[in-house]
Amino acid sequence: MVAEKLQYSSVRLSKVAVSETHGEDSPYFAGWKVYDENPYDELSDSDGVIQMGLAENQVSFDLVEEYLEKHSANIGNEASTFRENALFQDYHGLKSFRKAMASFMEQIRGGRAKFDPDKIVITAGATAANELLTFILADPGDALLIPTPYYPGFDRDLRWRTGVNIIPIHCKSSNNFEITRESLESAYDEAESKNVKVRGVLITNPSNPLGATIARPVLEGILEFVTRKNIHLVSDEIYSGSAFSSDEFVSISEILEARKYQESERVHIVYSLSKDLGLPGFRVGTIYSYNDHVVKTARRMSSFTLISSQTQQLLASMLSDRQFTESYIKTNRERLKKRQQMIVSGLENSGIKCLRGNAGLFCWMNLNPLLNECTKEQELELWKLILHEVKLNISPGSSCHCSEPGWFRVCFANMSERTLEVALKRIHNFMSSRNLCS
Amino acid sequence: MELKGSSNLSTLASSNDHGENSLYFEGWKAYDNDPFHPSRNPKGVIQMGLAENQLSFELIEDWIKKNPQASICTPEGVQAFKDIANFQDYHGLPQFRNAVAKFMGRVRGGRASFDPERIVMAGGATGASELLMFCLADRGDGFLVPSPCYPAFDRDLRWRTGVQLLHVECKSGNNFQLTKQSLEDAYENARKANIKVKGLIIANPSNPLGTTMDKATFKMLVKFINDKKIHLVCDEIYSATVFRGPRLVSVSEIIEEIECDRDLIHIVYSLSKDMGLPGFRVGIVYSYNDKVVSCARKMSSFGLISSQTQYFLASMLSDEEFVGKYLSESAMKLANQHDLFTRGLEEVGIKCLESNAGLYVWMDLRPLLKEATFEGEMDLWRVIIGDVKLNVSPGSSFHCHEPGWFRVCFANMDINTMRIALGRIRKFVVQESDQVLQVKKQKRTSKRSHGLTLSFSSQMYDETCSSPRMLSPHTPLPQSPLLRART
């Protein structure tokens, strides 16, 4: 019935579709592929690649499971509320969910900041939240300033469909990658010299990949800078619940509250449950803005990326249970701290130093002494070696736009302690073979 | 230095392209302020502007009771919690993709089959249509869309993408069917305006018309896009709401019957309408173009479906017995509700476009317009909202080229509420017919002292409708049987 299939010359897709800005050709993703082909398994493939490139939190899952087992009879009684919930597509999001999120965020900050549920906008993950904010704060061709090293996914999330540029704020190991006034000014000047309009600064606090919180005076300095330049500040605080001690994490929200919210209209916070609660599959992201116009616009835009009402309902229950949340936050911090100490001391025994960290699901490891030449190419060679011979997928600093070669991000919370021991052993053997152990 | 209001935000954020200033939403506000409730607020506004399918929830609720393991929150299902909560792969759960592909095939009566590898997730159909625009068109490019069309396309397809929408007007004269001439005209107009047309988007079944596209027209359409080498996006989100013949002809069938470049063919799907689950944000992009699948999948990171929801739906939609039962009962309930409503309207002389699908009817209120203009339509609409207290959607918000048409939803209420709505309509029509007759009598007998000067706020100005010719006693006006009976 169908005529002989004709040959068609391919019709062009959009520029966005054919661009490489999705970033998936970077080493960050190449390592995953090697892992996928030969994943480590304690029993069936003890020679496989150990995934240390994925910042996931699996150390406290049992607490969530315990909560569910205790409450599943209640939460699971879904037939009776099903209809109402299935119909709920209001882009304001479930009020109970927003209240629970606001309360959870307050608890993480030790009560040092208050969050108004009506300023919370829901999005399907922090990925969507960051992109959405970029659409609202900047026009195509404009720029956001981001301190390096930064999360590789930002290249896609902030730039791909928005057409916005990222200009790096270069941070150096000599002062522990602190964001200095000079580095901010320098990045801003770079933009000006290219005739690019800077619309804001985006920081991740606690930092990915550094695994460290940003100190209060530094935050104040950044706030002073954005105020002076009359630009926005986005603070991605998705690792806030993963700071090892509540006292060491200072959120921008605390600083604003202490100043009675002066200049707060330029500040916006991104949060998610993917890291702190280990629920990346649920796509739970939020934007918190002190700017009513941003809240209103973000809410409208969230139509493209709402959170499933089923998931909102589940989390509203879970996060409004203070007994659960307080115990979870405390225990999670303790376990992450212990895990980090384990990997840092293990690395030290192998002659490897890490940046002093106090948060997150990873540590920032310095393999610079191992480089033949202090270049990006040599770093990638070392990375490939570690991937194929040591069989560890770790993330090279260059994929995080680090200006100094030789740094690597190593995740420690997405595996069991036993697997971590195996990984440390492999590193130790590798370093021994190079006569580099202390 | 103060960051005032919107002064320091993007152009996008400061524009009105979010579309919420349209009438489509004004009616909702009237409803929100005074919502109908059978006992608590029986005189409130009845919501007939929301295309939701609420008729078949019992079937789903029943299934849930019998299948507790489908939920990761129940004692029976909680052991799956950890793996599911951790699953963020943008390929989606394999069992979810398989179940959706199978479901889509069943909805089309097995006349087409879908490859699970081509199924890409998105944040509802809203997210899916926008995503396809990002893949297929650049800023400033154009996409043709037959009108009347879904109002939110203005936001979904244009707001963040910068794509322009070019309406292909369909007219009541031939029951709003798409014609080759109108397509050619629209394409040519775009060319003259120097707009690069990258594709065409249709909704089949149509929103707001409630009709499915016939095979001949569809083949003409596919031939058209194939000749012009432009993309075809078929929004088939109402595919399972077909409640009567003619049966749905999906683009997936057409391409098996006529020769075309499959790289041009893309489908948007969702479970929000067919299954009444808008809260679950289940949007699907299905493309026959490998590059688009690949690009769309990467983009889906911005709107993935919650793994909890994927897991639940994978279980429900792969229950073949349930699916069969659901599809047939849902269609039956929609048919009954549709017939009850249209019969009630007919009894008071109101006609609707003949339809076989959708959750709404396309109601012809041209006879009730005091003036055959969009201003007249707006006046009538405000009366319907304010006095009759029904939130219906005026045709102008659907970019209809002629005034007097309204979309009225019937599947989001029970029969009692519908009877109340019909009662209100009945009362109103009787009053209005009297009044319209009076007005028309006056206009015929009075001298034409002033022409039709319209201080127009509407953007939908259409010259042919405001011509004095329309009000001449010699021009045959469309009249309801009720009016005829009285003159």
Side-chain angles (χ1 to χ4, degrees):
Chain A
M1 197 189 249
V2 180
E4 215 176 80
K5 189 152 185 9
L6 300 171
Q7 282 294 91
Y8 294 101
S9 58
S10 60
V11 173
R12 211 172 63 76
L13 301 183
S14 67
K15 291 187 188 121
V16 165
V18 305
S19 88
E20 306 263 294
T21 321
H22 52 73
E24 284 192 22
D25 302 325
S26 95
Y28 184 67
F29 295 96
W32 289 31
K33 291 178 194 147
V34 174
Y35 162 79
D36 281 337
E37 281 155 18
N38 183 19
Y40 171 81
D41 185 288
E42 228 178 296
L43 302 166
S44 59
D45 188 356
S46 55
D47 206 29
V49 176
I50 298 180
Q51 174 65 284
M52 304 190 89
L54 194 53
E56 271 180 8
N57 183 0
Q58 295 188 25
V59 307
S60 304
F61 218 82
D62 56 312
L63 301 173
V64 176
E65 278 171 331
E66 206 181 280
Y67 169 85
L68 285 169
E69 262 144 25
K70 234 196 288 189
H71 295 88
S72 60
N74 292 334
I75 306 172
N77 186 15
E78 289 174 23
S80 58
T81 55
F82 184 84
R83 167 193 278 244
E84 203 184 310
N85 182 255
L87 285 171
F88 186 85
Q89 58 172 328
D90 181 347
Y91 62 22
H92 286 79
L94 270 178
K95 180 103 193 197
S96 55
F97 170 68
R98 282 183 286 119
K99 276 172 109 166
M101 277 298 269
S103 156
F104 189 65
M105 287 169 74
E106 284 170 5
Q107 287 170 54
I108 286 177
R109 289 153 185 75
R112 297 182 299 271
K114 284 211 97 39
F115 291 93
D116 175 1
D118 290 336
K119 292 192 182 339
I120 291 185
V121 176
I122 63 172
T123 63
T127 301
N130 282 316
E131 187 198 40
L132 200 150
L133 269 175
T134 306
F135 270 121
I136 292 178
L137 304 179
D139 288 323
D142 290 346
L144 292 177
L145 306 182
I146 307 193
T148 66
Y150 62 77
Y151 166 53
F154 278 158
D155 288 332
R156 171 197 64 186
D157 299 352
L158 308 177
R159 297 185 321 158
W160 192 20
R161 305 193 303 181
T162 61
V164 171
N165 299 305
I166 294 177
I167 294 196
I169 301 166
H170 294 291
C171 297
K172 304 193 183 110
S173 61
S174 52
N175 67 344
N176 294 319
F177 298 97
E178 189 179 284
I179 303 161
T180 62
R181 184 183 159 146
E182 291 73 35
S183 57
L184 285 162
E185 296 282 0
S186 171
Y188 193 91
D189 291 343
E190 187 190 323
E192 281 205 311
S193 70
K194 292 179 176 161
N195 246 327
V196 168
K197 194 167 176 205
V198 175
R199 302 308 290 268
V201 171
L202 188 146
I203 57 173
T204 306
N205 178 29
S207 160
N208 174 12
L210 302 178
T213 56
I214 301 182
R216 180 183 288 263
V218 178
L219 285 174
E220 284 169 345
I222 297 170
L223 194 54
E224 184 274 333
F225 174 80
V226 298
T227 304
R228 195 160 29 89
K229 300 290 190 196
N230 193 20
I231 58 179
H232 294 274
L233 174 60
V234 177
S235 182
D236 184 340
E237 302 192 348
I238 68 170
Y239 292 101
S240 46
S242 309
F244 306 153
S245 133
S246 162
D247 301 330
E248 283 189 70
F249 168 62
V250 178
S251 162
I252 195 77
S253 54
E254 299 173 45
I255 297 183
L256 291 174
E257 191 156 312
R259 298 178 180 197
K260 304 217 191 319
Y261 303 111
Q262 275 168 39
E263 295 301 333
S264 62
E265 280 199 343
R266 61 181 77 256
V267 180
H268 326 280
I269 298 176
V270 169
Y271 188 55
S272 159
L273 298 180
S274 300
K275 309 297 179 182
D276 290 348
L277 271 181
L279 309 172
F282 287 1
R283 313 317 300 148
V284 181
T286 59
I287 292 172
Y288 189 90
S289 177
Y290 295 89
N291 182 318
D292 287 342
H293 196 90
V294 171
V295 172
K296 199 165 173 192
T297 309
R299 196 178 279 139
R300 287 177 171 148
M301 237 185 237
S302 67
S303 300
F304 297 108
T305 183
L306 295 171
I307 302 174
S308 169
S309 53
Q310 256 191 329
T311 304
Q312 289 185 55
Q313 188 170 70
L314 166 63
L315 292 166
S317 282
M318 208 192 290
L319 297 182
S320 50
D321 184 331
R322 266 201 106 94
Q323 205 178 32
F324 165 73
T325 53
E326 277 174 9
S327 145
Y328 181 92
I329 292 170
K330 183 166 177 288
T331 312
N332 184 48
R333 289 197 207 283
E334 286 163 5
R335 289 182 183 178
L336 286 174
K337 181 174 185 176
K338 185 167 170 236
R339 200 53 92 83
Q340 188 249 26
Q341 283 172 341
M342 182 179 158
I343 192 176
V344 167
S345 55
L347 291 172
E348 218 166 309
N349 289 339
S350 306
I352 297 174
K353 285 200 171 348
C354 291
L355 181 76
R356 202 188 142 281
N358 63 347
L361 314 174
F362 33 71
C363 57
W364 189 235
M365 180 171 80
N366 186 7
L367 294 184
N368 184 286
L370 269 69
L371 296 183
N372 294 328
E373 274 171 37
C374 192
T375 63
K376 181 178 164 178
E377 291 70 27
Q378 282 302 302
E379 176 189 280
L380 284 173
E381 284 304 309
L382 178 57
W383 170 73
K384 274 189 214 144
L385 189 76
I386 295 175
L387 180 61
H388 294 285
E389 291 187 21
V390 191
K391 304 243 179 105
L392 301 176
N393 178 32
I394 60 180
S395 312
S398 49
S399 67
C400 303
H401 299 276
C402 188
S403 47
E404 300 172 22
W407 291 87
F408 291 80
R409 188 192 77 168
V410 190
C411 299
F412 55 72
N414 62 315
M415 62 188 71
S416 68
E417 265 187 31
R418 247 202 310 267
T419 306
L420 183 55
E421 273 164 15
V422 171
L424 286 170
K425 192 135 186 259
R426 289 185 187 179
I427 293 173
H428 196 266
N429 292 342
F430 170 68
M431 294 297 279
S432 303
S433 71
R434 287 178 150 223
N435 295 317
L436 287 164
C437 281
S438 45
Chain B
M1 211 186 303
E2 274 222 347
L3 211 91
K4 289 191 197 348
S6 61
S7 60
N8 215 343
L9 302 186
S10 66
T11 310
L12 196 54
S14 321
S15 82
N16 274 324
D17 284 343
H18 50 74
E20 284 191 21
N21 298 330
S22 106
L23 291 174
Y24 185 65
F25 295 98
E26 224 182 276
W28 289 33
K29 289 171 199 159
Y31 167 78
D32 283 337
N33 291 335
D34 182 20
F36 169 83
H37 184 275
S39 49
R40 290 196 297 260
N41 189 17
K43 294 217 160 69
V45 176
I46 298 179
Q47 176 63 283
M48 303 190 87
L50 194 51
E52 270 178 3
N53 184 354
Q54 293 192 29
L55 305 183
S56 302
F57 274 119
E58 293 89 40
L59 292 169
I60 300 180
E61 282 158 351
D62 192 58
W63 187 90
I64 291 175
K65 286 197 190 106
K66 298 199 176 104
N67 293 274
Q69 77 292 347
S71 163
I72 50 177
C73 300
T74 58
E76 294 86 347
V78 77
Q79 78 277 14
F81 190 93
K82 180 175 180 172
D83 287 339
I84 297 300
N86 209 44
F87 185 87
Q88 59 173 328
D89 181 346
Y90 62 24
H91 288 81
L93 280 176
Q95 63 267 44
F96 172 71
R97 277 186 288 124
N98 290 339
V100 171
K102 228 189 318 188
F103 183 74
M104 287 171 73
R106 290 282 302 262
V107 169
R108 288 152 186 73
R111 294 179 300 276
S113 71
F114 293 87
D115 177 1
E117 299 297 311
R118 292 188 177 285
I119 296 221
V120 175
M121 300 181 286
T126 302
S129 350
E130 185 197 50
L131 194 154
L132 273 172
M133 291 302 112
F134 273 122
C135 289
L136 305 177
D138 293 328
R139 299 198 144 263
D141 285 346
F143 239 79
L144 300 173
V145 48
S147 60
C149 64
Y150 172 52
F153 273 164
D154 287 336
R155 171 198 65 188
D156 298 353
L157 308 178
R158 293 186 325 159
W159 192 16
R160 306 192 302 181
T161 62
V163 169
Q164 303 193 58
L165 286 189
L166 311 161
H167 295 106
V168 182
E169 280 182 1
C170 297
K171 305 193 187 224
S172 61
N174 71 337
N175 290 323
F176 297 97
Q177 282 191 323
L178 193 56
T179 65
K180 182 149 196 265
Q181 192 59 56
S182 58
L183 285 169
E184 294 283 359
D185 288 347
Y187 189 86
E188 182 57 23
N189 288 340
R191 202 189 57 78
K192 284 195 194 128
N194 251 327
I195 298 173
K196 198 166 184 199
V197 176
K198 289 310 286 286
L200 183 142
I201 178 166
I202 58 160
N204 178 35
S206 160
N207 175 13
L209 303 177
T211 53
T212 53
M213 191 169 279
D214 66 275
K215 229 184 221 191
T217 308
F218 219 151
K219 284 185 175 173
M220 175 279 293
L221 177 62
V222 171
K223 225 181 148 290
F224 173 82
I225 58 107
N226 201 50
D227 287 343
K228 301 280 191 265
K229 291 198 189 352
I230 61 177
H231 293 279
L232 177 60
V233 176
C234 295
D235 179 343
E236 301 195 341
I237 68 169
Y238 290 99
S239 47
T241 67
V242 177
F243 52 79
R244 174 167 292 132
R247 59 162 182 75
L248 175 75
V249 176
S250 161
V251 70
S252 49
E253 291 175 56
I254 296 286
I255 60 176
E256 296 296 335
E257 290 186 27
I258 69 169
E259 177 55 48
C260 87
D261 179 2
R262 289 189 180 204
D263 276 351
L264 297 173
I265 311 290
H266 323 278
I267 297 177
V268 166
Y269 190 53
S270 162
L271 296 181
S272 301
K273 309 296 179 183
D274 285 351
M275 297 215 73
L277 309 172
F280 288 7
R281 314 316 302 149
V282 180
I284 302 287
V285 169
Y286 188 95
S287 176
Y288 291 89
N289 181 322
D290 292 344
K291 287 204 178 87
V292 172
V293 172
S294 170
C295 176
R297 193 172 281 133
K298 294 177 171 105
M299 266 188 204
S300 67
S301 301
F302 298 110
L304 295 173
I305 300 170
S306 167
S307 52
Q308 175 192 16
T309 302
Q310 289 184 54
Y311 186 76
F312 169 76
L313 290 169
S315 189
M316 191 167 77
L317 297 181
S318 46
D319 182 340
E320 303 210 6
E321 197 188 317
F322 166 78
V323 168
K325 189 166 167 217
Y326 183 90
L327 290 176
S328 61
E329 284 203 30
S330 172
M332 192 180 69
K333 291 197 164 116
L334 284 169
N336 288 342
Q337 196 104 333
H338 166 271
D339 293 349
L340 180 73
F341 191 57
T342 49
R343 262 198 300 260
L345 292 175
E346 263 169 42
E347 282 168 15
V348 294
I350 295 180
K351 281 193 165 0
C352 296
L353 183 73
E354 202 175 303
S355 63
N356 62 328
L359 309 174
Y360 36 75
V361 289
W362 188 233
M363 191 165 74
D364 183 359
L365 291 186
R366 289 175 296 175
L368 293 180
L369 292 182
K370 292 198 167 67
E371 285 173 8
T373 61
F374 284 105
E375 206 170 55
E377 176 182 284
M378 237 166 285
D379 288 342
L380 177 57
W381 175 69
R382 290 207 168 95
V383 167
I384 296 175
I385 299 243
D387 297 350
V388 190
K389 298 222 170 163
L390 302 175
N391 178 28
V392 300
S393 312
S396 52
S397 63
F398 295 86
H399 297 283
C400 186
H401 83 110
E402 60 184 289
W405 293 88
F406 290 79
R407 189 193 76 172
V408 189
C409 299
F410 60 74
N412 61 319
M413 60 187 66
D414 60 30
I415 291 191
N416 289 329
T417 308
M418 176 173 290
R419 291 206 170 103
I420 294 173
L422 283 168
R424 291 183 189 180
I425 293 174
R426 186 172 299 123
K427 193 164 152 209
F428 170 69
V429 169
V430 169
Q431 278 170 229
E432 273 308 288
S433 307
D434 285 344
Q435 279 189 35
V436 170
L437 267 176
Q438 298 294 349
V439 169
K440 283 181 177 156
K441 255 195 210 139
Q442 280 171 16
K443 284 201 164 141
R444 275 186 221 127
T445 54
S446 79
K447 292 192 176 89
R448 249 201 265 137
S449 50
H450 50 273
L452 281 174
T453 47
L454 304 164
S455 55
F456 233 150
S457 53
S458 164
Q459 307 137 300
M460 307 304 155
Y461 184 72
D462 182 340
E463 285 199 45
T464 59
C465 291
S466 65
S467 128
R469 182 170 55 80
M470 285 292 282
L471 286 188
S472 146
H474 305 295
T475 306
L477 281 169
Q479 290 187 338
S480 89
L482 190 62
L483 291 181
R484 275 205 294 278
R486 285 172 169 262
T487 34

